[in-house]
């Protein structure tokens, strides 16, 4: 039996509004962004109301309190992913986290820099945020971008892993859970293959950290990125985690105040990690909001959340199995799979599917999900994607199944 | 239902049985337009003659709105004098921006008025305009 | 007579708290970050509570409303600085805005790229955020960084402007108002010199946009950057404005979702400006908060605000003139000067000055103000800086003057 | 006043009349430490002999807390056996982290206990530690 999490829905003020057609909101788009509990909204507001000041700079009490709030947020977020707080860098988003890495690896002054002839490995199911930065890095440095393929069942094809991850491989950048398929990638095998050849592993944890317990030490990866807004936290904040001995070797990606050790007109030296990666007055209120979000999730318990989403996913897959017009894109079983379900409806374009669902108050994502290469590989113009979080329930699943039935009726689909 | 104002029967008909779909072998110009946020794509072949739109053919993948609208456009503008085609295009764009406040000029837009409801759905306006913008691009290039 | 703005102080909830020694808060550190009116805090919270969704992506009503809120914020902020909304890019901070430019200019694929032998001109009074990125750009590209000096009076030395801004100059990156001296720079002369040689002008407007009316068209510059948090807005948001024909020529600085036109495993093409510079799910709530901030300022009237700060600055300078232990660093008169006053107290280190002021509830900034090269030039270890905004009053000035008097007594300074 | 717990008379005395200020010509090692957030700087010359701290001299610019603390440190650790000096250093660091809860071990820290009040002002702790960290760095290098 999974824990009953329905009591938590009331913590999210957005569910008190109604949407199209006067319907209550059924939010199945948490893969894009999650909703926020009131405690997170209040944490941000309280920062502004009671201790707003520029951190690390002022001699006054507010600046002290702001610095303390910001650094406590860092410690708290670090604890949430099993990291040391000096290894946690606050960025604006996972996109920025991944770009920071690609930029730093591209700087010849970095202690670990990508060189011509090096290989950077991604997969065919990466989000653009974990593909484009590496494409650009390869282009800038003369390195080669290669990738692991996917199987027809929406899993990673590991049959040629030892060819793809080879002695030329410098970096393996890979998603933890696919934002299209929901597939959870066997990171242990990836780490093993990378270690064998001395390559570094960068994990895009955007779709994992919000949904199940993630511990950087246990995973054994070298870097990890995720976004605050998908983990019940504010927009405008992301995390980049890296092993400190590696972060120390990287040049910063952006430059400005609060990240220097000394500056002259001719040059500068950098402060220590994590400070050297946080140029400028940081996103303080958002860090404090993110900290409140991970507190909230910790209270609920990540294993409970994972179980809850597992159950809903199972129900949805079972329901879709009964509908001959619906094809699920991605794993059909529950092994190594999270609460993201992509599907197509015969003869109806995803955009039209989404529109009909919207009419019933159901919010889903439609399109290529920022994974165009994957869509092309699958020969699809896009999919409709339902994704879960804590505030969803079995009723949401039934409502979705019923509404998809209406879609097929509305567009007079018959198979 | 509000949905019916979006998916008029005319639209679904054009979607199921599109006009001028399939690219002609001859053309003055070919353009390719897409809508990166949803992935809809249209390739359009245009032939102009003596300042008149002689032929519009197209191919594409996309939602019902984008495909039906391209179908309607190709039918409506074929045979029209360039300036007149532009006038129709402007009327269609205006209709799309009307936020549900306009019914559209049926004399000018014919089947195009079926898209009046789209203007109430901001996310779909770009779908309805995809083929029209491809025509605008192509014809402007030919006439330049 | 300047308008009485004291009625607005109650809009800022932070002033209802007390600080060290049970004193009311006298906040004179707006140069570092400004306080936030409740309308701004509420705008951010309301976004989360009523329309939170990923912009530009979903087919559902929430996504529509979120996109509308985000794009309306862009239009509103654009209007505030006299720009077209397609020319306004939301970043995380002014620091990021300036780094974006430096990165894009350093990309050889950009239509306007910096090349070996080009010169980049800054000034000796830049904030690190408008110095380090250009130092790095020069280093990466083989360009040369040169600079305009400052005069003993804390003004820009324009005597050799035609030598410094010469035919090799590609970019002139300059502050609009010094965050140390309060000096307002004669941008018209800079623009003229740059135009004569075909150079581009990048304006660091961090200390101007929050304090007086700034219109990009009237200034005639090419790019402009400022931070949300100094303009009564949220943390975690900044603005980069650029002329659209120039922005179109620049390669983006970071890569990911929502900024592409198409993507394959081998490469990608970009969306149009401003989208191509906004990779990832953006800082939506912060954009909405910033929009509320500029609405609030517009209601008050930027000329009223400027006048108000002018009066306070005048009062403070007059008060300091009477104190023989105090030396004002920067212009002593009110010509082309804003509400930032740096000063030193003979025999007392700035950090100690700040500590005593803090005891009286007065928050100031002490140290090098992220302008180390300037401090070295001035042979100072740092200064104490008082800076004003809307919520300050003549009483705050008197309190400061009285407390500085106490400083000299406490440390038994005599001259 | 709360301020007096920070600026003890002992501290102001050391600030006005610092001990061992002025760099010696002879040294085993010289280190330079700074505090980027406030700009305080210390250069420290260290001579060790037979496992004892023979001489500490220093120069620097900074606030009263950082200068006085460096003065106290240089006086206190000179002549001490390395392990004993480290013990004193640890006791001082502990005092700084005590958030106003400790008065410090006067036998070990002597004038150093005057800095107990600093521990209530988080922004100043780094100032008080600047010289001590410079010594730690220098002595660790010499003993390595
Ligand atoms: C003149 C000037 N430029 C740039 C900055 C950097 O702004 P931010 O730290 O918000 O990125 C500041 C403020 O710290 C500033 O005062
Ligand atoms: C797998 C994955 N990676 C990266 C991202 C990028 O995250 P953000 O847009 O918050 O930077 C997302 C979400 O959009 C994602 O799902």
């Amino acid at each position: 039996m999974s824990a009953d999490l329905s009591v938590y829905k009331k913590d999210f003020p957005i569910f008190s509004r109604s949407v199209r057609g006067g319907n209550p909101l059924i939010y199945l788009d948490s893969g894009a962004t999650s909703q926020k509990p009131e405690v997170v909204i209040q944490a941000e507001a309280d920062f502004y109301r009671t201790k707003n000041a520029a951190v690390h700079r002022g001699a006054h009490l507010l600046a002290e309190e702001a610095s303390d709030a910001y650094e406590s947020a860092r410690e708290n977020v670090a604890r949430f992913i099993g990291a040391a707080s000096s290894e946690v860098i606050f960025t604006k988003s996972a996109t920025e986290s991944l770009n920071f890495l690609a930029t730093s690896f591209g700087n010849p002054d970095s202690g670990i820099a990508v060189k011509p002839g090096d290989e950077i490995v991604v997969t065919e199911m990466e989000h653009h945020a974990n593909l484009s930065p590496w494409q650009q890095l390869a282009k800038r440095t003369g390195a080669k971008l290669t990738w692991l393929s996917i199987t027809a069942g929406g899993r990673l094809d590991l049959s040629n892993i030892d060819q793809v991850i080879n002695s030329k491989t410098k970096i393996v950048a890979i998603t933890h859970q696919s934002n299209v398929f929901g597939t959870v990638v066997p990171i242990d095998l990836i780490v093993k293959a990378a270690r064998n050849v001395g390559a570094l592993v960068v994990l895009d944890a955007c779709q994992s950290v919000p949904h199940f317990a993630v511990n950087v030490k246990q995973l054994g990866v070298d870097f990890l990125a995720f976004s605050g807004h998908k983990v019940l936290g504010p927009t405008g904040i992301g995390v980049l985690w890296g092993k400190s001995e590696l972060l120390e070797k990287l040049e910063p990606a952006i430059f400005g105040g609060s990240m220097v050790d000394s500056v002259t007109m001719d040059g500068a030296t950098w402060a220590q990690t994590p400070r050297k990666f946080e140029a400028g007055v940081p996103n303080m209120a958002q860090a404090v909001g993110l900290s409140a979000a991970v507190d909230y999730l910790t209270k609920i318990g990540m294993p409970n959340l994972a179980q809850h989403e597992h159950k809903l996913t199972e129900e949805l897959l079972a329901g879709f199995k009964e509908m001959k017009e619906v094809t699920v894109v991605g794993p059909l079983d529950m092994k190594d799979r999270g609460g993201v379900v992509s599907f197509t409806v015969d003869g109806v374009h995803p955009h039209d599917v989404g529109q009909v669902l919207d009419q019933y108050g159901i919010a889903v994502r439609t399109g290529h999900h920022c994974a165009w290469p994957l869509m092309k590989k699958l020969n699809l113009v896009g999919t409709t994607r339902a994704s879960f979080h804590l505030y969803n329930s079995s009723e949401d699943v039934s409502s979705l199944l019923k509404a998809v039935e209406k879609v097929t009726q509305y567009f007079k689909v018959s198979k | 239902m509000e949905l019916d104002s979006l998916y008029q029967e005319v639209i679904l008909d054009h979607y199921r049985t599109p006009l001028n779909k399939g690219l002609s072998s001859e053309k003055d110009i070919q353009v390719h337009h897409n809508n990166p946020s949803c992935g809809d794509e249209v390739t359009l072949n245009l032939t102009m003659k003596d300042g008149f739109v002689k032929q519009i053919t197209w191919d594409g993948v996309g939602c019902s709105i984008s495909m039906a609208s391209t179908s309607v456009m190709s039918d409506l503008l074929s045979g029209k004098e360039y300036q007149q085609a532009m006038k129709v295009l402007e009327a269609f764009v205006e209709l799309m921006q009307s936020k549900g406040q306009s019914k559209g000029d049926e004399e000018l837009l014919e089947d195009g008025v079926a898209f009046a409801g789209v203007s109430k759905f901001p996310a779909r306006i770009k779908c309805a305009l995809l083929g029209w913008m491809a025509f605008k691009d192509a014809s402007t290039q030919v006439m330049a």
Side-chain angles (χ1 to χ4, degrees), chain A residues 230-307:
Chain A
K230 294 192 209 256
V231 63
L232 312 187
T235 61
I237 188 151
V239 168
L240 170 59
W241 167 85
K243 289 184 180 160
S244 53
E245 67 271 24
L246 299 175
L247 290 176
E248 289 300 345
K249 285 188 189 153
L250 291 177
E251 282 290 297
I254 74 170
F255 307 89
S258 290
M259 51 78 73
V260 296
D261 189 51
S262 71
V263 187
T264 66
M265 287 309 284
D266 296 311
T269 57
W270 315 134
Q272 290 198 304
T273 303
R275 209 69 91 68
K276 83 172 168 189
F277 294 101
E278 293 181 359
V281 173
N283 40 5
M284 307 172 290
Q286 291 72 43
V288 168
L290 176 57
S291 177
V294 307
D295 278 346
Y296 181 81
L297 281 169
T298 303
K299 197 188 69 189
I300 283 157
M302 293 305 288
N304 288 333
L305 174 59
Q307 226 172 45

Side-chain angles (χ1 to χ4, degrees), chain A residues 31-33 92-98 125-130 175-180 204-207 225-230 237 365 369-370 385:
Chain A
T33 197
K92 72 171 177 180
S93 62
T95 298
E96 188 183 44
S97 301
L98 294 163
M125 62 179 177
E126 296 311 312
H127 187 281
H128 295 164
N130 199 31
T175 191
H176 198 180
Q177 175 178 308
S178 160
N179 69 313
V180 177
D204 175 355
C206 278
Q207 298 288 344
F226 69 94
S227 277
H229 68 90
K230 294 192 209 256
I237 188 151
R365 176 90 185 271
H369 315 296
C370 296
R385 181 187 76 182

